[in-house]
Amino acid sequence: MDTFFIPDLCRVRAVFLLVITSELLVLVLAIVQADTGWVDWNYFGLLSLFVQWTTLTSAALICLLRGWLARLSVARATVIVVAIVLADVLAFSLFAEEVLHPAPGTAVQSIARKLLVALLIVLMTLRYFYLQHQWRLQREAEIGARLTALHARIQPHFLFNSMNTIASLIATRPEQAEEAVLDLSELFRANLRTTDPLVPLAQELDLCRRYLAIEALRLGDRLRVEWVIADGLEQQAIPPLTLQPLVENAIYHGIQPRPGGGTIRIEVSPGGEFVYLMVQNSKVETDTRHRRGNRVALANIEARVRALFGETAVLKHSQQQDTYTVTIRLPRRPLNRPPGARTRDTE
């Protein structure tokens, strides 16, 4: 049904727009028809009654037949919709002419004129619906391609840095390097198992925990992690690989350059209709790479959340003294998982 170019005319908003648009058209015709004054109100009242009858009944018929029309080709559906509207206009025109008792010889001409006007209006309306539908399809395709490209740019970044970490352990701690390889394989198996644009928050947090476990082998006590995760947000929808790149940047541009290491704080909390995700890390004051390194990841993540959640999604970053903070605000949207599906928890 969503692939049909004619919108669902059963919705209240669609009916309201049809009524308002038809009334504006009637007002224009009444202004043109007026011989004296601005508007011929008698003509406006009669024409409004006729137009609203035909508009609402035609919309109701198209709404009832929408499921069947959606299975037809665009050309056939267009012909049938035009036929429905013209038949509706013809029926009400015959009724109106019978009630008003027109002069002999004028009924056929009056009805033909109404049918011609109705034909032009319905063809223009269907053309508008079709162009809007094509624009929506193009926009969805562009967003899908953009998300795929952005996602592909993040994965190699994570893989290469993780492999460098494992390579540094092979000579000195081979057993831990082997464990890190197994952990990394499990991590990528879980990450590449789905192509969904959204995943549960619990899965994204599990990804961060696995990554931090690999980095902890390299940094040891220099890496300190604080988790503040509110309950009840496990199924919150989030784009995959959203938090992990932020944690990665926090380590490489905040924790790693500091001789004494530092602390990464990962916090998830609800706030009204939104969910707030925060990644905070110690900052090196003299390290100019920190801002440059985060810029690409932040722009990438912001583009993905905006594409999926719209303007209500916000990403902000700030620096206060020796602390760097990135905050993401997402609309609260639970992700419905299929029956039997579950997310691994490493805790």
Side-chain angles (χ1 to χ4, degrees):
M1 297 287 284
D2 293 336
T3 61
F4 192 37
F5 73 99
I6 297 179
D8 187 359
L9 299 181
C10 293
R11 295 182 179 179
V12 176
R13 182 179 179 183
V15 174
F16 175 76
L17 291 176
L18 284 176
V19 171
I20 294 299
T21 304
S22 59
E23 280 300 299
L24 290 176
L25 177 61
V26 170
L27 180 61
V28 171
L29 294 176
I31 293 174
V32 174
Q33 182 72 17
D35 294 329
T36 59
W38 288 96
V39 181
D40 186 342
W41 293 110
N42 292 329
Y43 181 80
F44 176 80
L46 290 174
L47 189 60
S48 293
L49 181 62
F50 174 79
V51 169
Q52 293 303 334
W53 275 353
T54 55
T55 298
L56 294 177
T57 53
S58 298
L61 290 172
I62 295 172
C63 172
L64 293 175
L65 298 175
R66 190 169 185 270
W68 173 66
L69 292 172
R71 295 191 291 268
L72 304 177
S73 64
V74 174
R76 289 185 178 181
T78 300
V79 171
I80 293 175
V81 169
V82 170
I84 291 174
V85 175
L86 292 182
D88 197 29
V89 171
L90 178 61
F92 280 107
S93 296
L94 292 174
F95 174 77
E97 294 295 335
E98 181 69 23
V99 171
L100 296 177
H101 298 292
T106 61
V108 175
Q109 183 179 1
S110 176
I111 293 174
R113 187 163 50 246
K114 290 184 178 66
L115 290 175
L116 179 60
V117 172
L119 176 62
L120 295 176
I121 292 175
V122 71
L123 288 177
M124 288 189 295
T125 303
L126 291 176
R127 178 62 175 172
Y128 171 77
F129 287 158
Y130 181 77
L131 293 177
Q132 283 288 101
H133 178 68
Q134 292 299 312
W135 177 79
R136 285 194 299 269
L137 292 179
Q138 182 179 0
R139 184 172 180 269
E140 291 175 1
E142 290 175 353
I143 290 176
R146 187 179 180 187
L147 290 173
T148 301
L150 291 171
H151 193 85
R153 287 175 59 188
I154 290 180
Q155 288 179 347
H157 185 219
F158 168 63
L159 174 61
F160 297 151
N161 285 290
S162 299
M163 293 304 295
N164 288 335
T165 300
I166 294 172
S168 66
L169 296 173
I170 293 177
T172 57
R173 291 177 283 178
E175 294 181 357
Q176 291 181 334
E178 182 180 357
E179 294 177 0
V181 170
L182 295 176
D183 198 11
L184 182 63
S185 65
E186 288 295 325
L187 187 152
F188 267 88
R189 184 178 293 110
N191 182 53
L192 300 177
R193 186 177 298 136
T194 177
T195 58
D196 292 338
L198 295 171
V199 298
L201 176 62
Q203 181 175 324
E204 184 69 11
L205 293 175
D206 181 58
L207 185 72
C208 292
R209 292 187 182 98
R210 291 180 181 273
Y211 174 78
L212 288 170
I214 295 173
E215 291 290 6
L217 295 176
R218 181 172 63 91
L219 298 174
D221 295 337
R222 295 175 57 206
L223 174 61
R224 298 177 290 277
V225 182
E226 295 180 359
W227 295 89
V228 183
I229 311 298
D231 295 330
L233 299 177
E234 294 81 5
Q235 293 301 315
Q236 165 64 30
I238 183 174
L241 290 175
T242 297
L243 288 177
Q244 186 277 323
L246 297 180
V247 174
E248 182 178 349
N249 277 330
I251 290 177
Y252 278 87
H253 304 288
I255 308 302
Q256 181 175 290
R258 294 168 62 95
T263 301
I264 294 178
R265 179 183 176 89
I266 303 173
E267 182 176 340
V268 179
S269 59
E273 298 179 354
F274 300 96
V275 173
Y276 294 86
L277 316 172
M278 186 189 73
V279 176
Q280 191 175 73
N281 63 272
S282 305
K283 184 177 74 70
V284 180
E285 296 180 359
T286 58
D287 185 13
T288 59
R289 295 175 303 167
H290 179 70
R291 176 175 300 194
R292 182 171 65 251
N294 270 332
R295 185 176 301 171
V296 174
L298 290 180
N300 194 327
I301 294 170
E302 183 176 16
R304 295 168 67 221
V305 297
R306 284 290 182 89
L308 289 168
F309 291 96
E311 297 298 325
T312 57
V314 177
L315 186 148
K316 294 183 178 180
H317 57 98
S318 61
Q319 301 184 31
Q320 295 180 352
Q321 297 180 355
D322 62 343
T323 302
Y324 187 85
T325 304
V326 179
T327 304
I328 301 176
R329 187 189 75 179
L330 299 177
R332 192 159 184 176
R333 183 190 301 176
L335 187 66
N336 297 323
R337 298 183 64 85
R342 63 186 183 91
T343 302
R344 288 188 179 182
D345 193 325
T346 58
E347 289 188 326

